[in-house]
Amino acid sequence: MARKYFRIKDVIKICRVDGEFIECLERERIIEPVKRRKLKLYAIEQVDRVRVARLLIEEMGVNLEGAEVVLHMREQMIAMQRQFNAVLRLLGQELKK
């Protein structure tokens, strides 16, 4: 079973960032950790946001505000793709009848 939450040291390693980068994303509310017993945990979706933010900011030269906009647009596109796939499945089921 895949892990649902990661500690900050895991996020740092996975995304190849430092703690300061993660704290900056938290301050700007680009990512939001879950707190459990004084421990910050990051859902896999939040880890993905850190990874994409790093790519945008460090490798593509996008500023923090631009990265936030891109992340929001990306999430909207993913949601639309899921809806489209659901419609296609329903259409496929109707055609089989």
Side-chain angles (χ1 to χ4, degrees):
M1 184 165 99
R3 289 171 57 182
K4 292 183 180 182
Y5 294 95
F6 297 83
R7 294 178 299 192
I8 192 166
K9 71 177 191 171
D10 299 321
V11 178
I12 289 169
K13 186 175 179 181
I14 292 166
C15 299
R16 298 188 315 254
V17 296
D18 57 23
E20 187 175 314
F21 184 79
I22 292 172
E23 289 172 10
C24 178
L25 295 179
E26 285 180 29
R27 275 193 307 275
E28 296 298 321
R29 297 187 182 219
I30 293 173
I31 61 169
E32 294 183 25
V34 174
K35 292 185 181 175
R36 300 239 171 99
R37 292 189 225 138
K38 298 182 182 180
L39 187 65
K40 287 183 187 178
L41 298 173
Y42 301 84
I44 189 69
E45 296 84 11
Q46 299 298 300
V47 177
D48 188 53
R49 287 178 70 85
V50 173
R51 184 186 60 78
V52 174
R54 184 193 69 77
L55 177 86
L56 291 166
I57 294 167
E58 293 180 4
E59 295 186 21
M60 299 180 81
V62 176
N63 66 19
L64 194 58
E65 293 80 12
E68 185 174 11
V69 170
V70 171
L71 286 164
H72 181 70
M73 289 173 51
R74 180 177 180 261
E75 287 169 355
Q76 288 181 324
M77 289 173 50
I78 290 169
M80 288 182 349
Q81 182 66 49
R82 287 183 181 135
Q83 290 173 345
F84 182 71
N85 289 341
V87 168
L88 287 179
R89 278 193 301 277
L90 288 172
L91 286 173
Q93 290 171 1
E94 288 296 317
L95 290 174
K96 289 180 183 178
K97 290 182 179 180

